[in-house]
Amino acid sequence: MGERTATRSLVVAHALARRIGRPAPREAISRILVAHNLLLGDTLMLTPLLAKLRLNHPQASVTLLAAPGTVRLYEHRPYGVRALPFTPSDSSTTRALLEEEPFDLAFVVGDNRYSWLAAAMRARRIVAHAGDARWSKNVFVDEARPYASSPSSWGDMVADLADGADPPAYAREQWQAPGAGSFPVPPMPYAVLHVGASTPLKRWPAPRWAALAAELEGRGYSIAWSAGRGEEAIVRECDPPGRHASYAGRLDLAQMWHLVANADLLVAPDTGIAHLGRVTATPTVALFGPGSAALCAPGKFWGAMPWIAVGLDPFPCRDQRMLFGRRVEWVRRCARTVEQCAEPKCMHAIGIDAVLAAIGRLQAAREL
């Protein structure tokens, strides 16, 4: 039996057994669960929900599920949140979660199939977004709330799952940096150029990265190349002579936090690292090709952060209206694969002048 099959079997068996004849929810809410299986960027964008829960339930224990590598970022419990590791590819993480005490309230974010996990963890009431078409995913959902009917950021839409007052805007001191192993840091001031992405369709052309690095070096920045494990060749393509320090594949996520947090500038495609820049309050330019800059907008919560999205909008083939399996009329995204799209024209359409202009706006705002 594979790990994912083992995870599914555990969840289904416990959900069915534990939710039959479940007790009515207590009026007092002392334990809250946020269940999902999202990537780094989408997980960080859940922060408005966490802040809202802390504001409206100041005495409650709030537990967030996260990918094992992401849990480190929550080491010091921002907003008092406890992060627990979960990944379907390791059934031991599910076994550990099933030992948790029952929860009074659970929020399921993204794919509603994780309402089964919330049920298996004995959540008395489960809230999720409506519109997930497969009925089997919604068996244990007690309340389904619709997505926003007009353009809205993902963070704001997630926060709307919870009742109560909206939290204050994010401030950097609300999230203490995680502990991390030492690594050589670039000379100050430096710019992090994160060239990797989850798909080749989000990558910016190497010659433009090289040109951007040369321009920033001329302005007095040291350059720190960044990419994930297995993406070292992308950095070599951007910097064949190896003029600048490369951190590709060398840092864990906690170390990456510190590299980004101490940078004067971060430029990255629409990836988890771009959203990490928002959490660390690092001046960030995020390059949007297939993804939706509207969905990733700062919204009410992140509005004070020095973060600018760059991309051509509208773009003709950014025309898909699906978000986590739901059709949303105002959404414009592209989730095509490399087999369906031979060339990421949306990324190639982003010129270096537009990126430099965004950097200029960030610098001007910093000097005010």
Side-chain angles (χ1 to χ4, degrees):
M1 180 185 296
E3 284 296 297
R4 289 182 178 273
T5 301
T7 293
R8 190 177 301 112
S9 299
L10 281 168
V11 168
V12 170
H14 283 78
L16 293 175
R18 292 178 172 179
R19 293 277 279 188
I20 292 174
R22 60 184 169 135
R26 299 193 300 263
E27 287 188 12
I29 296 174
S30 61
R31 284 175 57 80
I32 302 173
L33 172 69
V34 180
H36 65 91
N37 182 35
L38 299 172
L39 298 176
L40 172 62
D42 289 324
T43 301
L44 294 176
M45 284 193 284
L46 302 183
T47 309
L49 172 61
L50 305 180
K52 187 173 185 178
L53 293 174
R54 178 53 58 219
L55 175 67
N56 292 283
H57 302 279
Q59 303 305 317
S61 168
V62 179
T63 298
L64 170 73
L65 305 189
T70 303
V71 168
R72 285 282 303 281
L73 302 186
Y74 296 84
E75 174 184 359
H76 297 293
R77 297 196 174 191
Y79 300 100
V81 169
R82 177 182 62 143
L84 294 179
F86 168 65
T87 174
S89 62
D90 181 356
S91 61
S92 69
T93 62
T94 301
R95 290 189 180 92
L97 295 178
L98 296 178
E99 297 300 318
E100 286 286 310
E101 293 296 316
F103 290 87
D104 301 305
L105 179 62
F107 296 93
V108 174
V109 187
D111 193 329
N112 280 12
R113 75 178 66 190
Y114 297 102
S115 62
W116 283 73
L117 177 59
M121 295 175 69
R122 296 176 288 175
R124 294 183 172 88
R125 180 171 181 78
I126 298 174
V127 180
H129 279 122
D132 204 328
R134 289 179 58 182
W135 69 270
S136 60
K137 295 183 179 182
N138 301 297
V139 169
F140 295 114
V141 174
D142 298 296
E143 181 183 357
R145 298 193 174 190
Y147 277 151
S149 58
S150 58
S152 181
S153 74
W154 171 241
D156 287 348
M157 287 195 291
V158 170
D160 285 342
L161 284 172
D163 292 327
D166 289 334
Y170 178 75
R172 174 65 187 85
E173 59 270 18
Q174 292 166 340
W175 199 319
Q176 186 178 345
S182 63
F183 62 92
V185 297
M188 300 286 282
Y190 66 88
V192 175
L193 304 185
H194 184 81
V195 300
S198 58
T199 167
L201 301 180
K202 287 187 175 183
R203 294 177 190 162
W204 204 36
R208 296 187 197 173
W209 282 117
L212 178 61
E215 176 66 27
L216 293 176
E217 185 181 26
R219 298 183 183 188
Y221 289 95
S222 299
I223 304 300
W225 295 111
S226 170
R229 188 169 290 108
E231 295 180 324
E232 294 86 352
I234 302 173
V235 171
R236 290 195 293 270
E237 187 180 358
C238 298
D239 184 12
R243 282 179 45 82
H244 309 296
S246 173
Y247 294 85
R250 295 171 52 193
L251 305 181
D252 61 29
L253 194 50
Q255 291 171 317
M256 192 67 201
W257 169 296
H258 287 270
L259 180 70
V260 170
N262 291 306
D264 279 63
L265 175 67
L266 167 66
V267 183
D270 167 29
T271 64
I273 299 303
H275 296 291
L276 181 61
R278 186 146 54 189
V279 176
T280 61
T282 303
T284 299
V285 176
L287 311 181
F288 280 82
S292 168
L295 282 169
C296 296
K300 293 176 287 187
F301 186 73
W302 301 106
M305 293 300 98
W307 197 92
I308 295 178
V310 174
L312 270 66
D313 192 21
F315 199 81
C317 54
R318 194 188 299 116
D319 58 358
Q320 296 174 330
R321 304 187 181 194
M322 300 300 292
L323 179 62
F324 292 111
R326 290 104 161 154
R327 183 176 174 86
V328 184
E329 290 303 321
W330 57 265
V331 166
R332 297 293 184 274
R333 304 173 66 238
C334 175
R336 293 176 177 87
T337 65
V338 290
E339 289 77 21
Q340 297 167 313
C341 177
E343 179 186 359
K345 295 179 181 178
C346 51
M347 290 298 292
H348 293 182
I350 301 173
I352 189 171
D353 288 345
V355 175
L356 291 172
I359 292 171
R361 293 199 299 275
L362 288 171
Q363 292 173 329
R366 195 172 189 176
E367 293 168 0
L368 291 178

